[in-house]
Amino acid sequence: MEKSRWIAWGAALVIFGVLMVVTPKIPQSEEYHDFADQRKLLFGIPNTLNVISNIPFFFVGIIGLVLCYWKNYFQLSLQGELWGWTLFYLGVTAVGFGSSYYHLNPNDATLVWDRLPMTVAFTSIVAIFIIERVDEKKGTISLLPLFLAGVLSIVYWRYFDDLRPYAAVQFVPCIVIPVMAIIIPPMYTHSSYWLWAAGFYLLAKVTEAMDKPIYKWTHQIVSGHTLKHLFAAMVPVYLTLMLAKRTIELDRRSLLTIWKVRLVEVKERRRFKSNSTETSLDVQYSAVSTTNE
């Protein structure tokens, strides 16, 4: 088991190294800082809506941190879970500060404090998933390496102006977590909330990419980047709701298995309904025939 773990980590590092060699460098574009909505709407705050739309992160992060420790409200039974969710909510809370600070004066130097807490949240979620779906011990041990990988991706980008490691830290969890949520049996109920959270994050990325078109379509009421913050804040909201509602899953089946079973049930109901209709028509036809004779 120990040997297979080292082989897995080694394979991951080799794949990452190959990708770093074969893919071109991705520098940080200066155009990234040129947001559509740069209005001063409140107390002279630059980029007002892009700044204050980060407030939800702060409140959700604080609430999550409190509930992690207040009478064990989330019923976190494993030590690794508690550490992982604590790290996640610390990252979410820090996003509220870091992203607001960045949008007050958008540039590469302030962008560090926007992205750093996000990497903390991303990497802690991956560790939590390993704890819940794969192995408690492995997931707990992975907390520190994943956290360091996230921090190093920011350092690498800042010093070498190359976003490739950061892109991996951000987008790999976006692919791996929904896939794991679907195919690996969960420890807890309400597993579908992971997919809702992934959906909101996808919406956040879409609205971020359409910052200026959305600002134009809404007649300069709200920009895509402001909506991005609000959609992204729904991710920790849904995960918090999941933690509050979930219980131990006694019948551990993956979402994929559940969907397959439901699909079969739907097909069986349709087949039964079709057969019932045909039988009813046959009876009516027989009755009509007998009456005519």
Side-chain angles (χ1 to χ4, degrees):
M1 204 68 170
E2 187 72 22
K3 183 178 179 181
S4 62
R5 185 197 310 171
W6 284 109
I7 290 174
W9 280 108
L13 289 173
V14 169
I15 292 171
F16 177 75
V18 170
L19 289 174
M20 289 293 289
V21 171
V22 301
T23 56
K25 179 180 178 181
I26 306 176
Q28 178 65 60
S29 171
E30 286 301 314
E31 293 180 2
Y32 179 84
H33 308 300
D34 182 26
F35 298 105
D37 188 358
Q38 300 182 19
R39 294 172 296 174
K40 297 180 180 180
L41 299 177
L42 186 66
F43 304 123
I45 299 174
N47 313 304
T48 304
L49 292 184
N50 283 344
V51 171
I52 65 175
S53 57
N54 286 290
I55 293 175
F57 289 105
F58 172 76
F59 285 108
V60 177
I62 292 297
I63 291 170
L65 278 173
V66 171
L67 295 181
C68 278
Y69 291 91
W70 184 71
K71 298 181 180 180
N72 194 21
Y73 185 82
F74 288 149
Q75 300 182 24
L76 302 174
S77 57
L78 305 175
Q79 187 63 55
E81 282 185 300
L82 181 59
W83 292 345
W85 285 111
T86 298
L87 204 57
F88 171 74
Y89 282 116
L90 283 172
V92 171
T93 304
V95 167
F97 288 106
S99 187
S100 296
Y101 175 64
Y102 162 64
H103 284 287
L104 287 171
N105 181 24
N107 60 69
D108 284 0
T110 55
L111 184 56
V112 170
W113 303 108
D114 181 14
R115 287 177 170 168
L116 185 58
M118 285 194 290
T119 62
V120 173
F122 290 140
T123 55
S124 59
I125 282 293
V126 174
I128 289 167
F129 240 83
I130 296 172
I131 292 170
E132 291 186 5
R133 309 277 175 138
V134 181
D135 183 85
E136 175 194 351
K137 185 178 179 181
K138 291 177 182 177
T140 303
I141 292 173
S142 70
L143 272 168
L144 182 59
L146 288 172
F147 170 78
L148 292 176
V151 172
L152 288 174
S153 73
I154 299 296
V155 174
Y156 186 87
W157 154 61
R158 193 70 184 97
Y159 279 90
F160 298 101
D161 193 23
D162 187 356
L163 287 168
R164 286 178 296 173
Y166 173 73
V169 168
Q170 180 175 185
F171 291 109
V172 168
C174 296
I175 298 171
V176 171
I177 289 177
V179 171
M180 291 175 70
I182 292 171
I183 66 175
I184 301 179
M187 181 187 297
Y188 300 100
T189 60
H190 294 81
S191 185
S192 60
Y193 277 58
W194 286 105
L195 300 185
W196 282 103
F200 276 111
Y201 189 74
L202 178 61
L203 280 174
K205 299 309 292 183
V206 170
T207 52
E208 179 184 30
M210 300 181 68
D211 180 34
K212 292 179 180 179
I214 289 174
Y215 192 56
K216 181 180 179 181
W217 296 339
T218 60
H219 301 283
Q220 300 183 348
I221 295 174
V222 65
S223 70
H225 202 85
T226 297
L227 293 178
K228 175 239 182 175
H229 290 161
L230 299 177
F231 282 131
M234 291 301 295
V235 174
V237 167
Y238 260 80
L239 294 182
T240 303
L241 290 173
M242 178 192 72
L243 290 173
K245 292 182 176 184
R246 71 183 189 177
T247 56
I248 297 293
E249 180 64 85
L250 299 178
D251 181 20
R252 294 191 65 174
R253 292 185 300 168
S254 68
L255 286 174
L256 183 61
T257 301
I258 293 172
W259 292 344
K260 286 181 178 179
V261 170
R262 288 178 180 173
L263 181 61
V264 171
E265 290 175 349
V266 169
K267 288 181 177 179
E268 288 297 322
R269 281 198 296 269
R270 287 180 178 177
R271 187 180 303 168
F272 177 77
K273 186 176 181 181
S274 177
N275 291 337
S276 298
T277 303
E278 290 176 1
T279 302
S280 176
L281 289 173
D282 289 342
V283 170
Q284 291 175 12
Y285 177 77
S286 299
V288 170
S289 299
T290 303
T291 303
N292 290 337
E293 291 174 0

